[in-house]
Amino acid sequence: MGKSRVRRFRRVPFSPTGPEPRREEEEDSPEEEPAAELLQKLQHPSAEVREYACASISRLLQQQHVIPAFLQRDVVRCLGPMLLDRSLAVRETAAGALRNLSACGGFEVCDDMVTQDIMTPLVALLKECSSGLDANQLSPKKHREVNKNYIEDIANEAINLLWNVCECNSTAVSIFNKEGCLEAVLHYIKKYATNVDLAISVANCLQAVTEDNPDLLSSFSSSVQQVLETVMLCPESTMKHILLRTLIAGTIWNIKETIPPGSLGNMVNAILKIFSESLAIDAGETIIRMNEAEKNRLKSAEAETEENLIDVTDNCAISEDDGMEEVSKGKGSGEQDLSDLLPSDKWELKEVTALLMAQQTALEIIVNMCCSEDPSDDEWEELSSSDESDLFMENSYSEGSGLLMSPLCLSAEVHSAFLNNLIPKKILEKTAFPNSVALDICMHNPSWKPLIKKLNTVQCRALTCLHSILLVSDVDCLGGASALQSLAHHLSQLIFSKKELPEDTEFLEAITSALRALLQTMASKNISQCMTPEQLLALCEASIHSSNASVRVNVVSILGISGSVLAKVQDTAETLKMIGKFLLEVAMKETSLVVAGEALDALFDVFADGKEAEKAAVQMKLLPALKEFQPVFKMRIRKEGKGQYSTDQLCVLDNVKMNLRRFIAYQETLGKNPT
């Protein structure tokens, strides 16, 4: 898998041909009509009309099918100047509209926004808000939200817009660097004690702009680092603050090169302590508890509203002439009061969402810690230990302690920090399926239903973490043979515990990656496997039709590993023949050359050695089948290779082609010299 970090955006399926050119005689479509009208209203002299237009555009831009109509009318150039409008309300709604455009439009739209110079007014707005942040400019009393702080709310929308475009566009990141946006952004995060939502937006943005951005590292002076450390160590215990600390921890990990070697060990320990705090919380139990809290709060609010309605009715002087009007006003007032009392922000739901985002983020960062590319030997020299083996656990996984992350790029202090914070145990807990009671709550509550996807995402990230741990650790560091066997049993339960095999692509990729790494580790040390060949064949037969090529690569590799182990066991020729036929069929019929090549590699492993393998190869007529397939495979590489596959993939395929020739020669030798 390598280094893995999921992007927030997914590419939006725009029409392949783009928007159709309009003919003069054609009338506006339902989407185009409001687009033209609303964009025209942005030039209205009345601030209230401009605010209304921005707010209406913002709502419409949440619908992806409407976006092309606005793009066709230069919505970015129309809304850009509104970021610096003389009305604060217009600035906020314009920033919100552009934020929605960037979030719902995807990568291409963000690229287009940067091309149309959205960064110029955005940077100016951010700096202006930063300089006026302490002015505490509240909304005019005529507005409903009397305590609304316009500067902070504008900043929040602008920061989210900045985050979106920087995560999608390298030019935006370069502008962030050159314009010194870091100083302005850091000013906002100091408001974490009074405005945690703004601080979270800043932390998300910081994590995005510090990833793989060496040009920004020089801006992180000791005073800047002190600001981040202060936020990371804030004592508040809400889920939002846990998310905030997790995001800042990720930012500090991104800028670890700026931290003095003598302080790095303590800093990593602090980072992992935060991750441990996040992962220790049971998300399922939190959903149950928060859902109950929401119900109780809504009941209390409803009861309070009914009491207010009774008071209003009792105080009304009802006469024949105006009685109905007064009662009507009372009802209207009461209904309006009820909507005000209802949780428009749904704070319980937001708390759970923040927790799941914190756990997902922590797991993603741990994967990156485990998979840092090409670590320098000198980089960690001052933190290295002469003997790290004493730091690793020896207990089994079933005792809740076994698997220890042992990244090659990390120091002894980091290994110790993983132990002290029980990170491996907590990762394994997150690989389990979500709480069934919590799932039922989410399923029957429309506003909570999106949490199901987030719960599943956390599970998949935990499995990816497990995969990374297995790739970089040796058996002793993982807790020994018993721990690996317990882990294999755990993974088999995830796969085979339900009536039907899993079909979700993201879960399948994560679980098969972890299983592949585990079986490879066990096979390399001759540790017996708890999954039967029949189980693995069932998994492979179900997963080989997945639309995800990585899943297909994983399952044929799993079958190859299992088959190579079976080849050393007596009376397994029939099973090896089933495995061989499956792999051969995949190699011949698979549309992806990468998967076909993996299937051939798996065949080579299964039939490389052993009397049972020789017997099975003869019975299934493997040699003539491969001889017939060899020219077909060579021709496919020649015809399909260039343009469809990367240079690395082509190198691997060339290696498979060479190994196929050698394997055929080896099988021919066996035929001439039967044992």
Side-chain angles (χ1 to χ4, degrees), residues 86-331:
R86 59 183 178 273
S87 164
L88 295 180
V90 173
R91 290 187 182 195
E92 182 186 0
T93 50
L98 288 164
R99 171 187 176 180
N100 287 346
L101 177 63
S102 65
C104 301
F107 289 106
E108 293 90 345
V109 171
C110 285
D111 286 340
D112 189 51
M113 293 175 78
V114 176
T115 301
Q116 295 191 46
D117 198 27
I118 193 60
M119 291 296 288
T120 296
L122 178 58
V123 170
L125 175 64
L126 287 166
K127 290 183 176 180
E128 187 176 325
C129 285
S130 178
S131 62
L133 194 61
D134 299 324
N136 197 33
Q137 186 160 1
L138 300 179
S139 66
K141 287 186 178 180
K142 66 178 180 179
H143 282 270
R144 194 169 155 198
E145 299 176 73
V146 177
N147 294 322
K148 177 180 175 65
N149 187 313
Y150 262 120
I151 298 297
E152 291 184 9
D153 291 344
I154 292 169
N156 192 38
E157 297 291 353
I159 287 290
N160 276 280
L161 172 58
L162 179 67
W163 170 26
N164 291 350
V165 294
C166 284
E167 196 159 51
C168 293
N169 186 278
S170 58
T171 302
V173 175
S174 298
I175 294 171
F176 182 98
N177 296 345
K178 293 175 184 176
E179 292 294 331
C181 294
L182 181 63
E183 182 180 353
V185 165
L186 284 172
H187 196 185
Y188 299 130
I189 208 167
K190 294 176 183 177
K191 293 285 183 178
Y192 70 90
T194 56
N195 193 337
V196 67
D197 291 324
L198 175 59
I200 287 172
S201 298
V202 173
N204 272 309
C205 185
L206 282 176
Q207 197 188 15
V209 298
T210 54
E211 187 174 23
D212 300 323
N213 186 5
D215 294 339
L216 189 61
L217 293 180
S218 59
S219 301
F220 284 91
S221 61
S222 58
S223 60
V224 171
Q225 291 177 21
Q226 184 61 48
V227 171
L228 296 179
E229 289 174 31
T230 300
V231 179
M232 190 175 75
L233 300 176
C234 67
E236 287 82 358
S237 59
T238 70
M239 303 303 171
K240 285 186 176 181
H241 284 90
I242 289 174
L243 173 58
L244 174 62
R245 288 194 288 271
T246 303
L247 291 166
I248 294 298
T251 299
I252 292 177
W253 175 255
N254 287 344
I255 64 165
K256 59 185 177 296
E257 288 84 356
T258 68
I259 298 172
S263 304
L264 188 55
N266 289 335
M267 183 56 66
V268 171
N269 192 63
I271 289 172
L272 293 178
K273 186 176 180 181
I274 288 168
F275 294 167
S276 177
E277 173 192 28
S278 166
L279 296 174
I281 301 172
D282 188 318
E285 292 298 326
T286 303
I287 287 174
I288 296 169
R289 189 175 71 254
M290 286 294 182
N291 182 256
E292 190 64 29
E294 183 184 73
K295 288 178 181 177
N296 292 336
R297 184 162 64 83
L298 292 177
K299 284 180 182 177
S300 299
E302 188 176 354
E304 185 178 341
T305 303
E306 288 177 357
E307 290 178 7
N308 292 338
L309 280 173
I310 293 171
D311 291 342
V312 169
T313 305
D314 290 344
N315 292 330
C316 287
I318 304 177
S319 66
E320 269 186 39
D321 295 330
D322 60 5
M324 288 304 294
E325 183 180 351
E326 291 294 332
V327 172
S328 175
K329 284 181 180 178
K331 277 191 175 183

Side-chain angles (χ1 to χ4, degrees), residues 607-621:
F607 296 96
D609 192 24
K611 294 187 180 298
E612 296 297 319
E614 291 178 24
K615 190 190 303 182
V618 171
Q619 291 176 2
M620 65 177 287
K621 300 179 181 178

Side-chain angles (χ1 to χ4, degrees), residues 455-473:
L455 285 164
N456 292 333
T457 298
V458 168
Q459 181 191 27
C460 291
R461 295 297 181 277
L463 287 166
T464 302
C465 263
L466 182 59
H467 166 251
S468 298
I469 293 170
L470 290 163
L471 285 180
V472 299
S473 305

